Amino acid sequence: MRWIIETIGIILCVRGVGGGLSALRDGGRGWFLVRYVLRDGAQVPVAVVVALVGVVILLADVRKKQDA
């Protein structure tokens, strides 16, 4: 079960950072959430939030491992 949480955290980090860079560079259309769903002004802030949520999930998982 723990590997699922780690995987979700990593995916969110990658999607957030990659989507943000794509929005800033006006890059590829492969970053679905950031490039297709959101308006131009909301792409970078949402990408930052997605990346931060991924980091929080990973940090919570690391802390839980240390306590166990």
Side-chain angles (χ1 to χ4, degrees):
M1 180 69 173
R2 189 170 299 237
W3 66 271
I4 295 172
I5 294 170
E6 290 175 357
T7 304
I8 290 170
I10 291 169
I11 289 171
L12 288 174
C13 287
V14 170
R15 297 300 291 182
V17 172
L21 291 175
S22 176
L24 287 174
R25 291 184 18 154
D26 200 26
R29 304 290 290 174
W31 300 96
F32 179 75
L33 175 66
V34 174
R35 302 297 289 162
Y36 287 111
V37 177
L38 302 170
R39 297 185 319 247
D40 288 337
Q43 292 175 351
V44 174
V46 170
V48 170
V49 169
V50 169
L52 288 176
V53 169
V55 168
V56 167
I57 289 172
L58 289 173
L59 290 177
D61 188 52
V62 167
R63 180 171 273 197
K64 193 178 248 188
K65 280 183 184 178
Q66 290 175 349
D67 290 342

